[in-house]
Amino acid sequence: METSLQEIKRITLKADKIIDSLTKGVTKYFSYVWGDREIRFIQAAELYNKAAGLYKFNKHWKEAGDTYKKAAIVYIQQEDHDQTGAAYINAARSYKNCDTQKFFSCLTLAIDFCLLESKLALIARLYKEMAVQAVEESKLNEAEIYYKNSIDH
């Protein structure tokens, strides 16, 4: 069953509203008092991931990448490096189909967060993925650098 774009946008808007409510002064104070701040951030990130997955399923690559990046920003606020890296990887793989410049920038960010978690095997695979894409775009000098970085990790 194909999900309508309206429904996907509704999910994204719901996540946006959660984030907006968390950044306002009064709600921010009461969230600390009641302790639900982290739970609400997690809810927003899950909604962003759900919407991004639906965009990806419907082959709306740019929207999927943008929404995964929103999830990554939420994870950064929560200092969850593992999920931040995963969100940037998902964003990059979405952008690969429509905007290779964003593909490279998202994978670079993902690598930075994976370094914080010492995920060296994953970093090597990501560099290799960047190298393969660079070869496809005939950017051989960049591909060589990515392959060397892959070997180093």
Short mmCIF file of all heavy atoms in Angstrom, two decimals, residues 94-131:
data_model
loop_
_atom_site.label_atom_id
_atom_site.label_comp_id
_atom_site.label_asym_id
_atom_site.label_seq_id
_atom_site.Cartn_x
_atom_site.Cartn_y
_atom_site.Cartn_z
N SER A 94 19.92 8.06 0.45
CA SER A 94 18.77 8.65 -0.24
C SER A 94 19.26 9.68 -1.26
O SER A 94 18.79 9.71 -2.40
CB SER A 94 17.81 9.31 0.75
OG SER A 94 17.28 8.36 1.63
N TYR A 95 20.19 10.53 -0.83
CA TYR A 95 20.71 11.57 -1.72
C TYR A 95 21.49 10.99 -2.89
O TYR A 95 21.61 11.63 -3.93
CB TYR A 95 21.61 12.53 -0.96
CG TYR A 95 20.88 13.50 -0.07
CD1 TYR A 95 21.31 13.74 1.23
CD2 TYR A 95 19.78 14.23 -0.52
CE1 TYR A 95 20.66 14.64 2.05
CE2 TYR A 95 19.13 15.13 0.29
CZ TYR A 95 19.57 15.33 1.56
OH TYR A 95 18.93 16.23 2.37
N LYS A 96 22.01 9.79 -2.73
CA LYS A 96 22.80 9.17 -3.80
C LYS A 96 22.01 9.12 -5.11
O LYS A 96 22.58 9.20 -6.19
CB LYS A 96 23.21 7.75 -3.38
CG LYS A 96 24.13 7.06 -4.33
CD LYS A 96 24.53 5.70 -3.78
CE LYS A 96 25.52 5.03 -4.69
NZ LYS A 96 25.96 3.74 -4.14
N ASN A 97 20.69 9.02 -4.99
CA ASN A 97 19.84 8.93 -6.18
C ASN A 97 19.47 10.27 -6.79
O ASN A 97 18.88 10.30 -7.87
CB ASN A 97 18.55 8.18 -5.81
CG ASN A 97 18.85 6.77 -5.36
OD1 ASN A 97 19.40 5.99 -6.10
ND2 ASN A 97 18.49 6.46 -4.12
N CYS A 98 19.78 11.38 -6.11
CA CYS A 98 19.36 12.67 -6.65
C CYS A 98 20.39 13.78 -6.54
O CYS A 98 20.37 14.71 -7.34
CB CYS A 98 18.04 13.12 -6.00
SG CYS A 98 18.19 13.48 -4.24
N ASP A 99 21.28 13.73 -5.55
CA ASP A 99 22.22 14.83 -5.31
C ASP A 99 23.51 14.26 -4.71
O ASP A 99 23.62 14.09 -3.50
CB ASP A 99 21.58 15.84 -4.36
CG ASP A 99 22.42 17.10 -4.19
OD1 ASP A 99 23.62 17.08 -4.52
OD2 ASP A 99 21.86 18.10 -3.69
N THR A 100 24.46 13.98 -5.58
CA THR A 100 25.67 13.31 -5.10
C THR A 100 26.52 14.19 -4.19
O THR A 100 27.25 13.68 -3.35
CB THR A 100 26.52 12.78 -6.27
OG1 THR A 100 26.82 13.85 -7.14
CG2 THR A 100 25.80 11.68 -7.00
N GLN A 101 26.43 15.51 -4.33
CA GLN A 101 27.18 16.39 -3.44
C GLN A 101 26.71 16.21 -2.00
O GLN A 101 27.51 16.10 -1.08
CB GLN A 101 27.02 17.86 -3.89
CG GLN A 101 27.94 18.81 -3.17
CD GLN A 101 29.40 18.52 -3.46
OE1 GLN A 101 29.75 18.06 -4.55
NE2 GLN A 101 30.27 18.78 -2.50
N LYS A 102 25.39 16.14 -1.81
CA LYS A 102 24.84 15.90 -0.47
C LYS A 102 25.16 14.48 0.00
O LYS A 102 25.34 14.25 1.19
CB LYS A 102 23.33 16.15 -0.45
CG LYS A 102 22.97 17.61 -0.51
CD LYS A 102 21.48 17.81 -0.39
CE LYS A 102 21.14 19.29 -0.44
NZ LYS A 102 19.69 19.51 -0.31
N PHE A 103 25.25 13.55 -0.95
CA PHE A 103 25.64 12.17 -0.62
C PHE A 103 27.01 12.18 0.06
O PHE A 103 27.18 11.61 1.14
CB PHE A 103 25.67 11.32 -1.90
CG PHE A 103 26.40 10.01 -1.75
CD1 PHE A 103 25.79 8.93 -1.16
CD2 PHE A 103 27.69 9.86 -2.23
CE1 PHE A 103 26.45 7.70 -1.03
CE2 PHE A 103 28.36 8.66 -2.12
CZ PHE A 103 27.73 7.57 -1.52
N PHE A 104 27.97 12.86 -0.56
CA PHE A 104 29.32 12.90 -0.01
C PHE A 104 29.36 13.65 1.32
O PHE A 104 30.03 13.20 2.27
CB PHE A 104 30.30 13.54 -1.00
CG PHE A 104 30.65 12.66 -2.16
CD1 PHE A 104 30.21 12.97 -3.44
CD2 PHE A 104 31.41 11.52 -1.98
CE1 PHE A 104 30.52 12.14 -4.51
CE2 PHE A 104 31.73 10.68 -3.04
CZ PHE A 104 31.28 11.01 -4.32
N SER A 105 28.64 14.75 1.44
CA SER A 105 28.68 15.51 2.70
C SER A 105 28.04 14.73 3.84
O SER A 105 28.55 14.75 4.96
CB SER A 105 28.04 16.89 2.52
OG SER A 105 26.66 16.78 2.32
N CYS A 106 26.94 14.04 3.57
CA CYS A 106 26.29 13.25 4.63
C CYS A 106 27.16 12.07 5.06
O CYS A 106 27.24 11.76 6.25
CB CYS A 106 24.92 12.77 4.18
SG CYS A 106 23.67 14.05 4.22
N LEU A 107 27.79 11.41 4.10
CA LEU A 107 28.67 10.30 4.49
C LEU A 107 29.88 10.79 5.27
O LEU A 107 30.34 10.12 6.20
CB LEU A 107 29.11 9.50 3.27
CG LEU A 107 28.16 8.41 2.79
CD1 LEU A 107 28.81 7.54 1.72
CD2 LEU A 107 27.67 7.53 3.92
N THR A 108 30.37 11.97 4.93
CA THR A 108 31.48 12.54 5.70
C THR A 108 31.06 12.80 7.14
O THR A 108 31.81 12.49 8.08
CB THR A 108 31.97 13.85 5.03
OG1 THR A 108 32.38 13.55 3.69
CG2 THR A 108 33.14 14.45 5.79
N LEU A 109 29.86 13.34 7.32
CA LEU A 109 29.34 13.56 8.67
C LEU A 109 29.14 12.23 9.40
O LEU A 109 29.46 12.10 10.59
CB LEU A 109 28.03 14.33 8.62
CG LEU A 109 28.15 15.81 8.24
CD1 LEU A 109 26.77 16.39 7.94
CD2 LEU A 109 28.84 16.59 9.33
N ALA A 110 28.62 11.24 8.68
CA ALA A 110 28.42 9.92 9.28
C ALA A 110 29.75 9.34 9.75
O ALA A 110 29.83 8.77 10.85
CB ALA A 110 27.75 8.98 8.29
N ILE A 111 30.77 9.50 8.94
CA ILE A 111 32.10 8.99 9.31
C ILE A 111 32.59 9.67 10.57
O ILE A 111 33.15 9.02 11.47
CB ILE A 111 33.08 9.16 8.13
CG1 ILE A 111 32.75 8.15 7.03
CG2 ILE A 111 34.53 9.02 8.60
CD1 ILE A 111 33.46 8.39 5.72
N ASP A 112 32.37 10.98 10.68
CA ASP A 112 32.79 11.70 11.89
C ASP A 112 32.13 11.12 13.14
O ASP A 112 32.79 10.94 14.16
CB ASP A 112 32.47 13.19 11.77
CG ASP A 112 33.32 13.89 10.71
OD1 ASP A 112 34.38 13.35 10.34
OD2 ASP A 112 32.91 14.99 10.27
N PHE A 113 30.83 10.84 13.06
CA PHE A 113 30.13 10.29 14.21
C PHE A 113 30.51 8.83 14.48
O PHE A 113 30.56 8.40 15.62
CB PHE A 113 28.62 10.46 14.08
CG PHE A 113 28.19 11.87 14.34
CD1 PHE A 113 27.93 12.74 13.30
CD2 PHE A 113 28.08 12.34 15.64
CE1 PHE A 113 27.55 14.05 13.54
CE2 PHE A 113 27.70 13.64 15.90
CZ PHE A 113 27.44 14.50 14.85
N CYS A 114 30.81 8.10 13.41
CA CYS A 114 31.26 6.71 13.60
C CYS A 114 32.65 6.67 14.25
O CYS A 114 32.95 5.75 15.01
CB CYS A 114 31.27 5.97 12.26
SG CYS A 114 29.62 5.63 11.63
N LEU A 115 33.47 7.68 13.96
CA LEU A 115 34.78 7.76 14.61
C LEU A 115 34.62 7.93 16.12
O LEU A 115 35.39 7.36 16.90
CB LEU A 115 35.60 8.92 14.05
CG LEU A 115 36.40 8.64 12.79
CD1 LEU A 115 36.97 9.92 12.21
CD2 LEU A 115 37.51 7.65 13.08
N LEU A 116 33.63 8.70 16.53
CA LEU A 116 33.39 8.90 17.96
C LEU A 116 33.01 7.60 18.65
O LEU A 116 33.26 7.42 19.84
CB LEU A 116 32.27 9.93 18.17
CG LEU A 116 32.58 11.36 17.73
CD1 LEU A 116 31.34 12.23 17.83
CD2 LEU A 116 33.72 11.94 18.57
N GLU A 117 32.42 6.69 17.89
CA GLU A 117 32.00 5.39 18.44
C GLU A 117 33.02 4.29 18.12
O GLU A 117 32.78 3.13 18.42
CB GLU A 117 30.64 4.99 17.86
CG GLU A 117 29.51 5.91 18.26
CD GLU A 117 29.17 5.80 19.73
OE1 GLU A 117 29.09 4.67 20.24
OE2 GLU A 117 29.01 6.85 20.38
N SER A 118 34.12 4.64 17.46
CA SER A 118 35.19 3.69 17.09
C SER A 118 34.68 2.54 16.22
O SER A 118 35.08 1.39 16.40
CB SER A 118 35.88 3.15 18.33
OG SER A 118 36.46 4.19 19.07
N LYS A 119 33.83 2.85 15.27
CA LYS A 119 33.30 1.83 14.35
C LYS A 119 34.16 1.81 13.08
O LYS A 119 33.75 2.29 12.02
CB LYS A 119 31.84 2.13 14.02
CG LYS A 119 30.93 2.02 15.21
CD LYS A 119 29.50 2.21 14.80
CE LYS A 119 28.59 1.89 15.95
NZ LYS A 119 27.20 1.83 15.53
N LEU A 120 35.33 1.25 13.20
CA LEU A 120 36.31 1.33 12.12
C LEU A 120 35.91 0.52 10.89
O LEU A 120 36.15 0.95 9.76
CB LEU A 120 37.68 0.91 12.64
CG LEU A 120 38.22 1.76 13.81
CD1 LEU A 120 39.59 1.26 14.24
CD2 LEU A 120 38.25 3.22 13.44
N ALA A 121 35.32 -0.64 11.08
CA ALA A 121 34.90 -1.45 9.93
C ALA A 121 33.81 -0.73 9.13
O ALA A 121 33.84 -0.72 7.89
CB ALA A 121 34.40 -2.82 10.39
N LEU A 122 32.89 -0.11 9.82
CA LEU A 122 31.83 0.65 9.15
C LEU A 122 32.42 1.85 8.41
O LEU A 122 32.04 2.14 7.27
CB LEU A 122 30.77 1.12 10.15
CG LEU A 122 29.64 1.99 9.60
CD1 LEU A 122 28.89 1.28 8.47
CD2 LEU A 122 28.68 2.38 10.71
N ILE A 123 33.37 2.52 9.03
CA ILE A 123 34.03 3.67 8.39
C ILE A 123 34.71 3.23 7.11
O ILE A 123 34.61 3.91 6.08
CB ILE A 123 35.03 4.32 9.37
CG1 ILE A 123 34.27 4.97 10.53
CG2 ILE A 123 35.91 5.34 8.65
CD1 ILE A 123 35.16 5.41 11.67
N ALA A 124 35.38 2.09 7.14
CA ALA A 124 36.05 1.58 5.94
C ALA A 124 35.04 1.32 4.83
O ALA A 124 35.27 1.67 3.66
CB ALA A 124 36.82 0.30 6.27
N ARG A 125 33.89 0.72 5.17
CA ARG A 125 32.85 0.47 4.16
C ARG A 125 32.29 1.78 3.60
O ARG A 125 32.00 1.87 2.40
CB ARG A 125 31.73 -0.38 4.75
CG ARG A 125 32.10 -1.83 4.93
CD ARG A 125 30.90 -2.72 5.19
NE ARG A 125 30.06 -2.30 6.30
CZ ARG A 125 30.22 -2.67 7.57
NH1 ARG A 125 31.21 -3.50 7.88
NH2 ARG A 125 29.42 -2.24 8.52
N LEU A 126 32.14 2.78 4.45
CA LEU A 126 31.61 4.06 3.99
C LEU A 126 32.58 4.76 3.05
O LEU A 126 32.17 5.33 2.03
CB LEU A 126 31.26 4.97 5.18
CG LEU A 126 30.13 4.49 6.08
CD1 LEU A 126 29.97 5.41 7.28
CD2 LEU A 126 28.83 4.35 5.30
N TYR A 127 33.87 4.71 3.38
CA TYR A 127 34.88 5.28 2.47
C TYR A 127 34.87 4.54 1.14
O TYR A 127 35.00 5.15 0.08
CB TYR A 127 36.27 5.23 3.10
CG TYR A 127 36.60 6.44 3.95
CD1 TYR A 127 37.01 6.28 5.26
CD2 TYR A 127 36.51 7.73 3.44
CE1 TYR A 127 37.32 7.38 6.06
CE2 TYR A 127 36.83 8.83 4.23
CZ TYR A 127 37.22 8.65 5.53
OH TYR A 127 37.53 9.73 6.31
N LYS A 128 34.71 3.23 1.18
CA LYS A 128 34.66 2.45 -0.06
C LYS A 128 33.43 2.86 -0.88
O LYS A 128 33.52 3.01 -2.09
CB LYS A 128 34.63 0.96 0.24
CG LYS A 128 34.65 0.12 -1.02
CD LYS A 128 34.63 -1.36 -0.71
CE LYS A 128 34.58 -2.13 -2.01
NZ LYS A 128 34.36 -3.55 -1.79
N GLU A 129 32.30 3.05 -0.21
CA GLU A 129 31.08 3.48 -0.90
C GLU A 129 31.29 4.85 -1.56
O GLU A 129 30.85 5.09 -2.68
CB GLU A 129 29.94 3.55 0.13
CG GLU A 129 28.57 3.69 -0.47
CD GLU A 129 27.47 3.55 0.58
OE1 GLU A 129 27.67 2.90 1.62
OE2 GLU A 129 26.40 4.13 0.32
N MET A 130 32.01 5.73 -0.87
CA MET A 130 32.31 7.05 -1.44
C MET A 130 33.24 6.91 -2.64
O MET A 130 33.07 7.60 -3.65
CB MET A 130 32.93 7.95 -0.38
CG MET A 130 31.98 8.34 0.73
SD MET A 130 32.77 9.17 2.11
CE MET A 130 32.89 10.84 1.46
N ALA A 131 34.21 6.01 -2.53
CA ALA A 131 35.14 5.79 -3.63
C ALA A 131 34.43 5.26 -4.87
O ALA A 131 34.68 5.73 -6.00
CB ALA A 131 36.24 4.83 -3.20
#
